[in-house]
Amino acid sequence: MENNSAMTDGMHIVVKALKANGVENIYGVVGIPVTDLARIAQNEGIRYIGFRHEQNAGNAAAISGYITKKPGICLTVSAPGFLNGLVALANATTNAFPMIQISGSSDRSIVDLQQGDYEELDQMNIAKPFVKASYRVNKPEDIGIGIARAIRAAVSGRPGGVYLDLPASVLEAALKETDADKSVFVVEDPAPDMLPSKKSVDKALQVLSEAKKPLVILGKGAAYSQSENEIKKFIEMTGIPFLPMSMAKGVLPDDHVLSAATARSFVLENADVVILLGARLNWLLGHGKGPHWSSKTRFIQVDIEPMEIDSNRPIEAPLVGDMCSVIKELLSSLNPLSLNEYNDWIDTIEEHKKINAEKMALKIEQITEPMNYFNALGAINNELEKWRDIYLVNEGANTLDNARNIINMYHPRRRLDCGTWGVMGIGMGYSIGAAVTENKQVVAIVGDSAFGFSGMEIETICRYKLPVTIIVFNNGGIYRGDEINGTSSDPAPTSLLMSSQYEKLMEAFGGYGVCAKSIDELVNALKNSLNNKHPTLINCLIDASAGVESGHLKNLNPKTNSVK
Ligand SMILES: Cc1ncc(Cn2c(C)c(CCOP(=O)(O)OP(=O)(O)O)sc2=O)c(N)n1
Ligand SMILES: Nc1ncnc2c1ncn2[C@@H]1O[C@H](COP(=O)(O)OP(=O)(O)O)[C@@H](O)[C@H]1O
Ligand SMILES: [Mg+2]
């Protein structure tokens, strides 16, 4: 006989709804009023990962969404905890990563009269400018639909961050178990295929048939779409060279014969038709204007977001739809005989690739004491060639820019970096998110300043014994370490600047810490960490004078009279 009088509560309903929809991990920092929600989730088999700061928990949730196409879940307390997580939620929205931040919140009747509740804040409204959707659940029987709406909002169309507000009163509210079960449901096809119109496919193929020097630009939208097989087939059937944006490295392997990555400036300036596959013509591509672009370039753009079309340059052939469906439609309508031969174009690209590769090889092979970015990254790349399945997390300025050019990627969604906002502090959160989600090894190559933003999470990495190797590129400061008081006229002694012993921090938490002063020490430490899979921090000492301010973004600094 069904026990119709059995009661449950809001917290149990939240966990039931998350579990019903396939949520396996929750990343967060608990406290009033969500601590028991995490306990219940753990009891129900969902893995809860407890962090030291909500921003890092949010970054872990966001990157797990990017890797899996399922929304990553971040759980925080109200007000300050909510606000700490909001930076990661905004970054997820900016990068089109599906993530849901669930925060407890205060009593509506007190908040709305501003009567001074514990951690009083109107969180749902504060979140709105930074997210795809912001919802609040006011009744326990609405929790199921609230979770469903948040999931669909996070993954449908252009993915992004969603905020779900759960007041403490709803979390503790009692409800008949039978009513609760009826309110929970599995979201049906939350990210439906979106096919392009036949007209748009025909137009795109028409423009492509007129191209003599075409170029495909692969963006992180292409990586996220998990349509690497279809994209590979399109590239190889057409013979069109491709340029991967940072997080799209590995959609096709960096050693692919049609990769134009090492001739980036040349191909951008000379391509006559550019096919944007899940890449925005934003600042990362110079808005498609200026010295690195020809005003005559014609654009074909594949994007799931219709509003992205024409954002910066007129798009002659928009293909609005999900990447996989669009590429499949192109493949089914493509007549390779209608395309031109690109041999001259490809031969010229090869010449530029060769020249640039030789220049880089000279930088990488030089022996210096202390190390610099190029020889250290060259040595790391040689070792990682044997570990092509690892996840690579990368942040910093020079550390980011140089690693992007030197560390080759061979599989999609493995390079996880500062992304569209160029945000510092993603390092440890992304490392934890990738390690937990995929149960694979992670190597994080981070600048010393960037590491400082999330460095306390090495305790989290050690606590969960995650296979993460952190290589801190220690040049003693932001961009460079040889400037004191803002001038380079009074450089401090290099030894002083290298005093940050980050490796000791790792040892303090039970991880392996190594200070690498030479290439051999660096490579041996990396080999050992990859073989023993133990949390490791390698403090890689880099010449304090190495690096340039803002790395490759130097030109974005405002033009002012030089600092005296
Ligand atoms: C959240 C945040 N704060 C500050 C910055 C400004 N910033 C900062 C602080 C960087 C750190 C660069 O120093 P690093 O030591 O990490 O790397 P290199 O020394 O190798 O350049 S790069 C950069 O754009 C940022 N991008 N994001
Ligand atoms: N499944 C998908 N199909 C097509 N486009 C997608 C898909 N997922 C995300 N996108 C789009 O991909 C684009 C990613 O652009 P961006 O973040 O600028 O990439 P990158 O920085 O690598 O150039 C966004 O405009 C987003 O709308
Ligand atoms: Mg630095």
Side-chain angles (χ1 to χ4, degrees):
M1 173 62 176
E2 206 171 61
N3 176 2
N4 277 329
S5 59
M7 298 299 282
T8 184
D9 62 36
M11 286 194 197
H12 283 86
I13 302 171
V14 169
V15 171
K16 190 184 282 277
L18 290 174
K19 199 171 174 211
N21 282 283
V23 170
E24 294 171 352
N25 302 302
I26 295 176
Y27 306 89
V29 177
V30 291
I32 296 168
V34 298
T35 308
D36 276 347
L37 196 157
R39 287 194 182 100
I40 295 162
Q42 283 181 307
N43 291 343
E44 290 300 318
I46 293 178
R47 190 173 181 195
Y48 169 74
I49 307 291
F51 280 73
R52 308 305 302 268
H53 190 289
E54 292 88 350
Q55 185 176 145
N56 306 319
N59 285 327
I63 209 66
S64 74
Y66 169 69
I67 293 169
T68 64
K69 293 181 88 174
K70 290 174 14 184
I73 307 295
C74 174
L75 178 66
T76 84
V77 302
S78 39
F82 154 77
L83 287 171
N84 283 345
L86 196 54
V87 172
L89 193 60
N91 188 51
T93 306
T94 303
N95 283 283
F97 298 162
M99 169 190 163
I100 300 170
Q101 177 175 332
I102 298 173
S103 296
S105 66
S106 302
D107 188 315
R108 298 307 322 150
S109 60
I110 300 175
V111 172
D112 294 348
L113 276 174
Q114 295 167 33
Q115 292 178 313
D117 199 356
Y118 166 69
E119 296 194 344
E120 175 178 299
L121 193 66
D122 185 358
Q123 293 161 199
M124 180 188 75
N125 287 308
I126 285 169
K128 282 181 180 170
F130 304 105
V131 295
K132 264 191 83 176
S134 180
Y135 302 116
R136 179 187 300 129
V137 176
N138 291 298
K139 297 182 288 185
E141 55 268 35
D142 287 345
I143 290 172
I145 199 108
I147 297 273
R149 296 214 68 188
I151 290 170
R152 187 172 295 280
V155 298
S156 60
R158 172 184 281 177
V162 175
Y163 175 61
L164 183 64
D165 188 274
L166 298 177
S169 56
V170 172
L171 290 171
E172 64 186 2
L175 191 68
K176 264 191 182 173
E177 207 152 55
T178 48
D179 292 342
D181 290 348
K182 280 185 222 140
S183 71
V184 168
F185 64 95
V186 178
V187 183
E188 177 59 34
D189 195 11
D193 290 349
M194 292 167 65
L195 275 71
S197 67
K198 181 166 181 344
K199 187 176 111 210
S200 66
V201 170
D202 293 346
K203 175 67 184 290
L205 292 176
Q206 174 55 40
V207 172
L208 187 56
S209 70
E210 295 158 11
K212 303 253 182 326
K213 298 185 283 183
L215 173 71
V216 166
I217 297 182
L218 296 172
K220 55 177 166 303
Y224 171 80
S225 70
Q226 298 187 10
S227 44
E228 46 271 11
N229 296 333
E230 291 75 12
I231 292 170
K232 181 175 189 296
K233 198 169 170 189
F234 177 75
I235 295 274
E236 293 178 348
M237 186 189 273
T238 59
I240 297 174
F242 68 91
L243 179 68
M245 299 299 285
S246 194
M247 286 181 69
K249 281 168 63 82
V251 169
L252 272 77
D254 275 337
D255 62 355
H256 193 285
V257 65
L258 287 170
S259 171
T262 52
R264 186 176 198 272
S265 302
F266 172 74
V267 291
L268 290 179
E269 284 165 20
N270 293 282
D272 59 359
V273 171
V274 167
I275 307 158
L276 297 162
L277 295 187
R280 286 173 281 199
L281 261 186
N282 57 14
W283 71 278
L284 286 163
L285 282 168
H287 301 286
K289 303 165 194 161
H292 291 306
W293 286 91
S294 154
S295 57
K296 297 190 183 66
T297 306
R298 301 166 72 186
F299 289 93
I300 297 168
Q301 183 163 12
V302 179
D303 206 296
I304 201 163
E305 172 50 62
M307 297 268 288
E308 188 54 38
I309 308 298
D310 296 338
S311 63
N312 285 271
R313 288 277 302 261
I315 301 299
E316 192 171 338
L319 281 161
V320 175
D322 76 88
M323 189 61 62
C324 200
S325 299
V326 171
I327 302 294
K328 281 179 179 169
E329 289 301 309
L330 286 172
L331 287 170
S332 64
S333 314
L334 185 65
N335 169 11
L337 301 179
S338 71
L339 301 177
N340 296 300
E341 287 297 325
Y342 310 127
N343 296 335
D344 293 349
W345 170 230
I346 288 171
D347 291 348
T348 315
I349 292 171
E350 281 306 312
E351 286 163 21
H352 282 79
K353 283 167 69 174
K354 190 166 175 295
I355 293 165
N356 293 338
E358 283 164 1
K359 280 185 205 163
M360 181 59 84
L362 285 175
K363 289 183 179 178
I364 283 174
E365 284 152 15
Q366 57 177 183
I367 308 286
T368 62
E369 185 63 38
M371 294 179 277
N372 61 36
Y373 290 102
F374 299 104
N375 50 32
L377 286 166
I380 292 168
N381 183 58
N382 287 342
E383 185 56 29
L384 294 185
E385 291 284 343
K386 305 166 204 154
W387 301 83
R388 296 187 171 194
D389 207 26
I390 56 113
Y391 280 82
L392 181 81
V393 172
N394 188 210
E395 63 175 345
N398 298 279
T399 305
L400 175 78
D401 294 332
N402 295 320
R404 177 176 50 240
N405 295 335
I406 295 171
I407 308 288
N408 291 325
M409 302 308 293
Y410 298 95
H411 298 290
R413 296 173 297 284
R414 291 299 200 285
R415 181 183 159 84
L416 312 172
D417 67 29
C418 301
T420 303
W421 251 355
V423 68
M424 294 302 121
I426 52 93
M428 298 307 105
Y430 281 14
S431 298
I432 295 167
V436 167
T437 306
E438 298 298 293
N439 193 25
K440 281 210 175 14
Q441 288 181 260
V442 177
V443 172
I445 300 177
V446 298
D448 48 342
S449 164
F451 173 69
F453 285 78
S454 66
M456 188 59 201
E457 300 299 346
I458 59 176
E459 185 279 324
T460 308
I461 289 169
C462 291
R463 182 166 11 109
Y464 290 103
K465 297 183 175 48
L466 298 175
V468 175
T469 301
I470 304 152
I471 306 176
V472 178
F473 268 55
N474 184 354
N475 67 337
I478 296 184
Y479 314 129
R480 316 172 41 132
D482 62 350
E483 294 191 14
I484 294 291
N485 308 321
T487 66
S488 53
S489 59
D490 173 22
T494 305
S495 56
L496 173 70
L497 289 164
M498 292 305 162
S499 59
S500 306
Q501 298 174 0
Y502 299 103
E503 73 279 12
K504 300 284 187 218
L505 282 176
M506 198 63 165
E507 288 168 359
F509 296 124
Y512 288 163
V514 180
C515 180
K517 297 187 183 66
S518 70
I519 295 288
D520 287 349
E521 289 175 0
L522 170 62
V523 172
N524 288 334
L526 177 57
K527 275 185 201 288
N528 291 338
S529 70
L530 290 169
N531 284 314
N532 67 36
K533 298 183 177 55
H534 194 79
T536 301
L537 187 145
I538 304 170
N539 182 10
C540 177
L541 299 192
I542 295 287
D543 181 348
S545 65
V548 291
E549 180 161 328
S550 304
H552 292 188
L553 302 187
K554 203 167 168 157
N555 62 309
L556 292 184
N557 280 302
K559 310 289 177 276
T560 57
N561 299 330
S562 61
V563 174
K564 295 287 176 280

